[in-house]
Structures are given as C-alpha cells and as structure tokens.
Amino acid sequence: MTDATIQTLDTPDGPFTVLEDAEGRVLASGWTDQADRVLARIAERHRPGRVLDGRVASADAVDAYYAGELEHAMQVPVRQAGTELFAEGWRQLRNIPAGTVLTYREFAAAMGRPDAVRAAASVCARNAPALFVPCHRVLRSDGTLGGFAWGLDVKRSLLERESVGITALV
C-alpha cells in the first residue's frame, strides 16, 4: 500500500481520526487526535507508506452518524487484513443493526463458531475501523460493557446514542 489520507473530526465523543486508503476505504479510525494511535491499530506490514493530511470521504458518514443517521457509517467501505475467521467476524459485526447488541457468545455463533467466544473477543479487539465496523455493539455475556480500545465512556455513549435499551451499561 502506498498513500493514505488522515483527518481528525470533532464529534460529541471527542476527536475522531479516520485513515483512508487512496480508494476511500477506511483502514483505521478511533476517538483520538493522535495519528500514531490510529496507525497502531493496523499491523505494520499493512500500514500505508505515506500518510497525508486531508479530507476523508467518510467524514460525511461520521457527521450523519452523530446527527442520528446511524446506518450511514455501515455503508462506508473498509479494508481490513486478517485470517478467514477475522474477516468473517468483521463482516458479521457490520450486520449488527444500530440499537442491537450481541454478547460475545452470540457473536461467536453469528460467526459460525459458537464455541469460539475468545476468538470472537479477539475479532473485536483487533477491529481497526471503529464505528464503521461496530465492535462496540458486542457486550460481555452478563450484559456489561467489556472492553473497548477507545474507552468505556465512548462505548457507553455510542450505545446510548443508538438507543440500546439495556440497563447494565457499566
């Protein structure tokens, strides 16, 4: 891969940085204004050779998400590199509608691997294009938030914005 574009947007959850390839596919994103944190979400061998500041195509989808049009972010193209298990997991994450959550066990079953709960958690942990691949919609089996690379406050805010009707957002 050669060049990529990076842009930091202001959101109600703080700065949100998006890295896109030359074809407008999101490679990585997250709630930070530190480009190195976003780049670190991508395996070194898959990182772009050069990162340029500019306007990313997905900026409008981020604005739409925060304006209440939640599914626009699911239409943004992404590019992720991983095993077949990870690729299937990331596809399944994009199928979780806004306002819905799955437990890691339910997510493992959606991936076709009902006994692979730890693998399901790893799929979420290694998800680089946060928001566009909504790993924040997966919770622990007891309904608590679990982990999130960008912090539990952001995860809680995203789920509240999506009107997830659960009471254990702790």
Short mmCIF file of all heavy atoms in Angstrom, two decimals, residues 4-8 17-19 33 35 50-56:
data_model
loop_
_atom_site.label_atom_id
_atom_site.label_comp_id
_atom_site.label_asym_id
_atom_site.label_seq_id
_atom_site.Cartn_x
_atom_site.Cartn_y
_atom_site.Cartn_z
N ALA A 4 -2.05 7.18 2.03
CA ALA A 4 -3.33 7.19 2.73
C ALA A 4 -3.58 8.62 3.21
O ALA A 4 -2.65 9.41 3.36
CB ALA A 4 -3.32 6.22 3.90
N THR A 5 -4.84 8.92 3.45
CA THR A 5 -5.24 10.24 3.93
C THR A 5 -5.77 10.10 5.34
O THR A 5 -6.47 9.13 5.66
CB THR A 5 -6.34 10.83 3.02
OG1 THR A 5 -5.85 10.89 1.68
CG2 THR A 5 -6.75 12.22 3.48
N ILE A 6 -5.44 11.07 6.16
CA ILE A 6 -5.90 11.06 7.55
C ILE A 6 -6.56 12.40 7.85
O ILE A 6 -6.13 13.45 7.37
CB ILE A 6 -4.74 10.76 8.53
CG1 ILE A 6 -5.27 10.33 9.89
CG2 ILE A 6 -3.75 11.91 8.62
CD1 ILE A 6 -4.26 9.61 10.76
N GLN A 7 -7.65 12.32 8.64
CA GLN A 7 -8.35 13.53 9.05
C GLN A 7 -8.91 13.31 10.45
O GLN A 7 -9.40 12.22 10.77
CB GLN A 7 -9.51 13.84 8.09
CG GLN A 7 -10.27 15.10 8.45
CD GLN A 7 -11.43 15.40 7.50
OE1 GLN A 7 -11.73 14.63 6.59
NE2 GLN A 7 -12.08 16.54 7.71
N THR A 8 -8.84 14.36 11.26
CA THR A 8 -9.44 14.32 12.59
C THR A 8 -10.68 15.21 12.57
O THR A 8 -10.61 16.37 12.17
CB THR A 8 -8.45 14.79 13.67
OG1 THR A 8 -7.33 13.90 13.66
CG2 THR A 8 -9.09 14.77 15.05
N THR A 17 -10.42 10.34 14.57
CA THR A 17 -9.47 10.34 13.47
C THR A 17 -9.73 9.15 12.56
O THR A 17 -9.91 8.02 13.03
CB THR A 17 -8.03 10.32 14.01
OG1 THR A 17 -7.83 11.49 14.82
CG2 THR A 17 -7.02 10.31 12.89
N VAL A 18 -9.75 9.44 11.25
CA VAL A 18 -10.01 8.43 10.24
C VAL A 18 -8.83 8.37 9.28
O VAL A 18 -8.35 9.40 8.80
CB VAL A 18 -11.29 8.74 9.45
CG1 VAL A 18 -11.58 7.65 8.41
CG2 VAL A 18 -12.49 8.92 10.38
N LEU A 19 -8.39 7.15 8.97
CA LEU A 19 -7.33 6.90 8.00
C LEU A 19 -7.94 6.12 6.84
O LEU A 19 -8.53 5.06 7.06
CB LEU A 19 -6.20 6.08 8.64
CG LEU A 19 -5.04 5.69 7.73
CD1 LEU A 19 -4.21 6.92 7.36
CD2 LEU A 19 -4.17 4.63 8.39
N ASP A 33 -6.99 12.26 18.71
CA ASP A 33 -6.41 13.17 17.72
C ASP A 33 -4.95 12.80 17.44
O ASP A 33 -4.22 13.54 16.80
CB ASP A 33 -6.52 14.63 18.16
CG ASP A 33 -5.87 14.90 19.51
OD1 ASP A 33 -5.25 13.97 20.10
OD2 ASP A 33 -5.98 16.04 19.99
N ALA A 35 -2.54 10.59 15.48
CA ALA A 35 -2.44 9.74 14.29
C ALA A 35 -1.72 8.43 14.57
O ALA A 35 -2.10 7.37 14.06
CB ALA A 35 -1.75 10.49 13.16
N ARG A 50 2.94 6.22 3.18
CA ARG A 50 2.91 7.66 3.45
C ARG A 50 1.51 8.05 3.86
O ARG A 50 0.53 7.61 3.27
CB ARG A 50 3.33 8.40 2.18
CG ARG A 50 3.55 9.88 2.37
CD ARG A 50 4.21 10.49 1.16
NE ARG A 50 3.37 10.35 -0.02
CZ ARG A 50 3.42 11.15 -1.07
NH1 ARG A 50 4.31 12.13 -1.10
NH2 ARG A 50 2.64 10.98 -2.10
N VAL A 51 1.41 8.90 4.89
CA VAL A 51 0.13 9.39 5.40
C VAL A 51 0.08 10.90 5.19
O VAL A 51 0.97 11.62 5.66
CB VAL A 51 -0.06 9.02 6.88
CG1 VAL A 51 -1.34 9.62 7.42
CG2 VAL A 51 -0.03 7.51 7.08
N LEU A 52 -0.96 11.34 4.51
CA LEU A 52 -1.13 12.76 4.20
C LEU A 52 -2.36 13.31 4.89
O LEU A 52 -3.41 12.66 4.91
CB LEU A 52 -1.28 12.94 2.68
CG LEU A 52 -0.20 12.28 1.82
CD1 LEU A 52 -0.62 12.26 0.36
CD2 LEU A 52 1.11 13.02 2.00
N ASP A 53 -2.25 14.51 5.43
CA ASP A 53 -3.42 15.18 6.00
C ASP A 53 -4.33 15.60 4.85
O ASP A 53 -3.86 16.07 3.81
CB ASP A 53 -3.01 16.42 6.79
CG ASP A 53 -2.32 16.08 8.10
OD1 ASP A 53 -2.73 15.08 8.73
OD2 ASP A 53 -1.39 16.79 8.49
N GLY A 54 -5.63 15.43 5.04
CA GLY A 54 -6.58 15.83 4.00
C GLY A 54 -7.99 15.52 4.44
O GLY A 54 -8.25 15.20 5.60
N ARG A 55 -8.89 15.59 3.50
CA ARG A 55 -10.30 15.30 3.79
C ARG A 55 -10.59 13.85 3.39
O ARG A 55 -10.29 13.44 2.28
CB ARG A 55 -11.23 16.23 3.02
CG ARG A 55 -12.70 15.89 3.22
CD ARG A 55 -13.60 17.11 3.12
NE ARG A 55 -15.01 16.76 3.17
CZ ARG A 55 -15.71 16.57 4.28
NH1 ARG A 55 -15.14 16.68 5.45
NH2 ARG A 55 -16.99 16.27 4.22
N VAL A 56 -11.17 13.10 4.33
CA VAL A 56 -11.53 11.71 4.06
C VAL A 56 -12.97 11.65 3.55
O VAL A 56 -13.83 12.44 3.95
CB VAL A 56 -11.34 10.82 5.30
CG1 VAL A 56 -9.86 10.71 5.68
CG2 VAL A 56 -12.16 11.30 6.48
#
